[in-house]
Amino acid sequence: MLTPLSDTLPLEIVHRLQRLRRARGYTLQEVYDATGIHVARLEANKANMRVATLAVLCQYYEISLAEFFQGL
């Protein structure tokens, strides 16, 4: 049975953010201190992601939104 896109897309976004953070060697606290975004909640899928929040995180990770969504 296929999983609806509405279930898989948010999880893939969270996983990509987590991989970006780890690849750059940032801790959850460092990202929070720099952006004011509680990334731990997002990575635990305990908070809804807004596009504006994703844009801020992409800017912090030095990646465009277009690059972030490539291949999704």
Side-chain angles (χ1 to χ4, degrees):
M1 179 175 181
L2 292 175
T3 305
L5 183 61
S6 62
D7 290 341
T8 60
L9 185 58
L11 289 176
E12 183 57 32
I13 289 170
V14 167
H15 291 149
R16 282 190 181 201
L17 284 173
Q18 191 174 54
R19 286 191 301 268
L20 279 170
R21 179 181 61 77
R22 288 179 175 168
R24 283 155 176 75
Y26 298 141
T27 65
L28 294 168
Q29 187 65 47
E30 287 172 326
V31 176
Y32 176 76
D33 290 344
T35 65
I37 297 170
H38 202 298
V39 181
R41 281 193 209 152
L42 296 174
E43 288 186 9
N45 210 22
K46 301 284 185 193
N48 290 325
M49 174 84 62
R50 292 181 15 199
V51 173
T53 301
L54 182 57
V56 169
L57 290 172
C58 284
Q59 183 178 12
Y60 180 69
Y61 295 141
E62 299 179 340
I63 185 173
S64 71
L65 281 170
E67 290 172 303
F68 181 85
F69 282 109
Q70 269 183 333
L72 267 181

